Amino acid sequence: MATTTDTANTEVVAEDGVRRRDFIEIAAVSAAGVGGIFTLIPLVSQMAPSKDVLAESTTELDISTLEPGQSIKAVFRKQPVFVRNLTQAEIEAANAVDVGDLRDAQTLAERTQEGHENILVVMGVCTHLGCVPLGAAEGENKGEYGGYFCPCHGSHYDTAARIRKGPAPTNLEVPEYTFTSDTTIVIG
Amino acid sequence: MIRLVGILVGLVFTFVVVLAFVVGAYNHITEPAAETAEHAFHLDPHGPAEGFAHNGLMPEWDLAQLQRGYQVYKEVCSACHSLEQVAFRNLAELGYSEEEVKAEAASWVVPAINPDTGENTTRPGTPTDYFPSPYANDVAAAAANNNAIPPDLSLMTKARHHGPEYVYSLLTGYQEPSAELAERFPDSVPGPGLYHNPYFANLNLAMAPPITADGQVTYADGTAATVDQMAQDVAAFLTWTAEPSLVDRVKMGWMVMGFLLFVTILAWLAKKSVWSTLKTRKD
Amino acid sequence: MSFPWAKQYEPKTGFTKWMDEKLPLPRFVYNAVGAGYPVPRNLSYMWNFGVLAGFCLVLQIVTGVVLAMHYAANAGVAFDSVEHIMRDVNWGWAIRYAHANGASAFFVVLYLHIFRGFFYSSYKAPREMIWLIGVVIFLLTMATAFMGYVLPWGQMSFWGAKVITGLFGAIPLVGEPLQVWLLGGYAPDNAALNRFFSLHFLLPFVIAGVVILHIWALHIPGSSNPTGVEVKSESDTVPFHPYYTAKDGFGLGVFLLVYCAFVFFMPNALGHPDNYIPANPLSTPAHIVPEWYFYPFYAILRAFTFDFILPAKLWGVLAMFAAILVWFFLPWLDKSPVRSGHYRPLFRKFFWFGLVPCMAVLFYCGGAPAEEPYVMISQIATAYYFLHFLVFLPIISSIEKPEPLPFSITEAVLGSDDKAVLGKDAETAA
């Protein structure tokens, strides 16, 4: 090839536009790069939840023995869930609040199911940074509003588990659940 | 000096190993090792005449067959063998709908803890449960089976050479020991509680022939349940339990190979073009 | 370091100039594997395996770190955690098969790299240090691979751990306490599994460090080449980049094709079915063997079956370790002034008709059951192995009359130094 005699420098430099040779080298390096990017897919996605974690799991709870004023703690997908049978006083306290004043505006009715307004099911995970609030077990600090109190950073939840005071941005989350009978709920 | 020491060390090792060779050869000639029954009568496993859909360069799962195989496992094998690496949710891969998986899971009884008393109890399975073991523990399994613990079947086809063929051959290979075997190796004639099978490593296994008669299961899809059919179906099912990613893996493999071939050809052209500046100088 | 005509790194942009002042990493890379490293122009594809071995090390570290995110080093759950990776972790099967077959690929590449060294006497001065470090890398890689094979805690894992640590039990006096200390118990169990996992994670990074020394030592005399004649002038060399980056890139493609064929089409072909049976301390598999890459040394171990002064077991262990340790002494056992096997008629015959078949036989017999005729065959091969390195090689190197060497690499490639354009002509052209 004529080009070789006048370029003593053995590096292939495209001085007069892209030659076929350069094109092949660029193509080879680009294709290898594409392959490298594709190998990142398994390396990245292996950190995402595995199939056994993603598998839909449900938690079934029997609440036939849950008296008004009592709560139970259960586990749903490795996280605590609180089920409370609200007393009439607690329901009234919750309904007395002006929803417009709340940080996360929701009524008690929106947070319970029709026909079971006294059963409040919430995740026991503070919406601030994920600690487990107190108040579900007998004798625990229920906070200034008589619901739940998170000791980590002082979030107070009311009887409808709505955030009233402290750093938490939203109310305690209500998971998806259904009543399969009057005394049995299935979460998830 | 190093070379002198080296030669000496080399000669010492050589001397000792040659000595071992001479002694071994002498023993081998004077008292040749006795022929063993395993060596003389063991047969290599073979697959069914029509082959398996999961074999070859373009493997596919025969979902109907896997469902039949699952039925054979459930109705026959599961009486003694666990399948502990497989969860009911995995059955969705056999083509069952979500509802069918739930119903199938609920048809199994899995161990549970009574939430009121904390005592061991049982409940119907859910999709996230794993297949339950027929025995509470190894001791119970051994006690119920004359000290031969039935192995878990999840990985059986990967835990044997030519696993799927092995399972098929073993299930269809039970037979009376030949007269020749009885004459040459009287010790290898199965004793009480043992059964002769030329596909089993030592010819005698503790598992009674599990699939004995045509129609032992009644297939939901109407396929005639011959012994041969049931053996192939359960062998295919156990191939899936051992390697559920088999089909995906090979399909992915072809894409990877195609891409690599393309890149490698480009790399070869690039290499040629880089070196061409040098090669042209040759005369 | 390197040759006077090596190209100098010249940062062009403001950033690269700034970088070159503060941390001359680009300059380092340029001089190590870039245009600043002059390499003999006549390297064959047998010189690809160094780069490929480096690739394998990176591959194993990357896939291994990822697997460690899901693996649990506990005798109770290790087996199940591997199956969890195979079944539930996203792409887990691909990553595990890539790692398991990556170990085999690593050893294929290492063996070819080492045998390239044997044939071209790459161990000779001035490259003894590269060779010594290389043998250290091989030993470390063997240790790492062995401990990695224990981690799935299948039958072969368990009995491999038991048998290999049992080798240390053959050492007189301290053997038995040493074995118990290594295992942290009387048999492999949780303690052994945990320490093997810890070391299996650590050692690859140690290997990476020693590999850097290996490459450092390589850059002092520069690469050897198929003629074994040292570089004399600029026309004998080409810059590593782009010539050998391109050549290694193509080699990597071919390697990946073969490797991926194993990963995707026959991922268990090089493994053993028994390792899909959970470890059972009460039942040894009928036919236990290590992974294929240990077969030659396993065959040597089993070849010693006769108590001569010392017990046969001790002879076997000594011979097995000696079989690798002897490589350390190669630079001084082989005194031939000529390096390349191409110009050593007698050495070449012993290489192709002695050492290579001997290793092939040892590979075959190491995987065969411990019965006749395999034991007798491996005894002959073992005898040849020691004779080859310790007796024949020194003698050959003294009595052999080498064939005439080319004057230079350039002459070997082009027929005459005058035809070299890259040398003095290049300067006039430039």
Side-chain angles (χ1 to χ4, degrees), chain C residues 336-391:
Chain C
S336 171
V338 174
R339 293 192 185 84
S340 170
H342 288 309
Y343 304 98
R344 301 179 61 187
L346 195 55
F347 170 86
R348 192 164 63 218
K349 286 194 186 77
F350 275 86
F351 179 85
W352 286 117
F353 302 110
L355 185 61
V356 169
C358 161
M359 281 302 278
V361 165
L362 288 175
F363 260 113
Y364 183 77
C365 290
E371 57 192 43
E372 302 299 358
Y374 304 114
V375 176
M376 290 197 293
I377 296 172
S378 57
Q379 283 164 338
I380 297 170
T382 302
Y384 181 81
Y385 184 94
F386 284 105
L387 286 175
H388 180 91
F389 284 114
L390 291 167
V391 180

Side-chain angles (χ1 to χ4, degrees), chain C residues 6-78:
Chain C
K7 273 192 266 179
Q8 289 302 310
Y9 175 67
E10 282 161 24
K12 290 189 180 71
T13 65
F15 173 73
T16 47
K17 279 179 186 151
W18 180 84
M19 189 71 183
D20 197 45
E21 257 174 49
K22 314 298 171 197
L23 180 71
L25 192 62
R27 176 184 293 277
F28 181 79
V29 172
Y30 184 89
N31 289 335
V33 290
Y37 177 40
V39 190
R41 63 191 294 166
N42 58 339
L43 301 189
S44 70
Y45 278 105
M46 283 310 290
W47 265 257
N48 275 33
F49 294 105
V51 164
L52 289 181
F55 175 82
C56 287
L57 179 63
V58 173
L59 173 80
Q60 291 302 84
I61 289 179
V62 170
T63 53
V65 166
V66 163
L67 288 173
M69 295 181 187
H70 303 282
Y71 171 77
N74 177 297
V77 296

Side-chain angles (χ1 to χ4, degrees), chain A residues 53 172 183:
Chain A
V53 174
L172 289 185
T183 58

Side-chain angles (χ1 to χ4, degrees), chain C residues 64-65 68-69 144 151 196-206:
Chain C
V65 166
M69 295 181 187
T144 310
L151 302 184
F196 283 7
F197 179 54
S198 172
L199 293 173
H200 183 71
F201 206 116
L202 168 72
L203 281 184
F205 297 97
V206 176

Side-chain angles (χ1 to χ4, degrees), chain C residues 19-284:
Chain C
M19 189 71 183
D20 197 45
E21 257 174 49
K22 314 298 171 197
L23 180 71
L25 192 62
R27 176 184 293 277
F28 181 79
V29 172
Y30 184 89
N31 289 335
V33 290
Y37 177 40
V39 190
R41 63 191 294 166
N42 58 339
L43 301 189
S44 70
Y45 278 105
M46 283 310 290
W47 265 257
N48 275 33
F49 294 105
V51 164
L52 289 181
F55 175 82
C56 287
L57 179 63
V58 173
L59 173 80
Q60 291 302 84
I61 289 179
V62 170
T63 53
V65 166
V66 163
L67 288 173
M69 295 181 187
H70 303 282
Y71 171 77
N74 177 297
V77 296
F79 188 89
D80 290 344
S81 77
V82 172
E83 277 309 306
H84 164 69
I85 291 169
M86 293 297 290
R87 289 158 194 271
D88 289 332
V89 173
N90 303 308
W91 296 90
W93 59 266
I95 297 165
R96 174 167 174 259
Y97 280 152
H99 194 71
N101 287 282
S104 288
F106 202 164
F107 275 94
V108 170
V109 168
L110 284 181
Y111 275 116
L112 289 168
H113 194 55
I114 292 166
F115 272 70
R116 191 285 315 272
F118 285 155
F119 185 78
Y120 293 102
S121 309
S122 303
Y123 43 80
K124 285 191 182 194
R127 296 185 182 80
E128 310 96 306
M129 185 53 80
I130 312 172
W131 177 260
L132 297 180
I133 296 172
V135 179
V136 170
I137 293 173
F138 186 64
L139 288 170
L140 285 171
T141 311
M142 290 177 100
T144 310
F146 157 68
M147 288 188 278
Y149 195 56
V150 174
L151 302 184
W153 210 239
Q155 274 286 67
M156 283 296 175
S157 302
F158 180 90
W159 293 99
K162 188 147 191 175
V163 169
I164 299 297
T165 54
L167 298 181
F168 292 91
I171 301 170
L173 298 174
V174 296
E176 218 161 302
L178 181 63
Q179 185 187 352
V180 170
W181 177 77
L182 282 172
L183 288 173
Y186 303 101
D189 200 358
N190 222 16
L193 180 59
N194 269 291
R195 68 191 57 182
F196 283 7
F197 179 54
S198 172
L199 293 173
H200 183 71
F201 206 116
L202 168 72
L203 281 184
F205 297 97
V206 176
I207 293 173
V210 183
V211 164
I212 288 172
L213 299 183
H214 191 63
I215 298 171
W216 186 5
L218 170 72
H219 278 69
I220 290 168
S223 296
S224 71
N225 70 85
T227 65
V229 177
E230 288 295 316
V231 168
K232 290 195 169 71
S233 65
E234 186 174 1
S235 72
D236 289 344
T237 66
V238 291
F240 189 88
H241 178 76
Y243 289 98
Y244 287 106
T245 41
K247 197 164 183 171
D248 285 333
F250 171 57
L252 181 63
V254 174
F255 164 82
L256 283 176
L257 276 168
V258 178
Y259 166 69
C260 286
F262 273 92
V263 170
F264 290 101
F265 301 142
M266 40 190 164
N268 294 307
L270 297 170
H272 202 287
D274 282 82
N275 225 26
Y276 283 108
I277 303 171
N280 179 356
L282 301 181
S283 156
T284 311

Side-chain angles (χ1 to χ4, degrees), chain B residues 76-128:
Chain B
V76 182
C77 319
S78 72
C80 304
H81 293 278
S82 56
L83 198 64
E84 59 189 21
Q85 304 291 349
V86 184
F88 296 120
R89 64 186 154 82
N90 299 131
L91 291 176
E93 292 167 37
L94 300 191
Y96 291 110
S97 70
E98 202 184 318
E99 287 313 308
E100 286 169 323
V101 170
K102 273 188 185 159
E104 202 50 58
S107 72
W108 292 75
V109 173
V110 300
I113 291 169
N114 185 325
D116 299 324
T117 63
E119 282 170 0
N120 290 335
T121 175
T122 57
R123 61 171 171 78
T126 64
T128 49

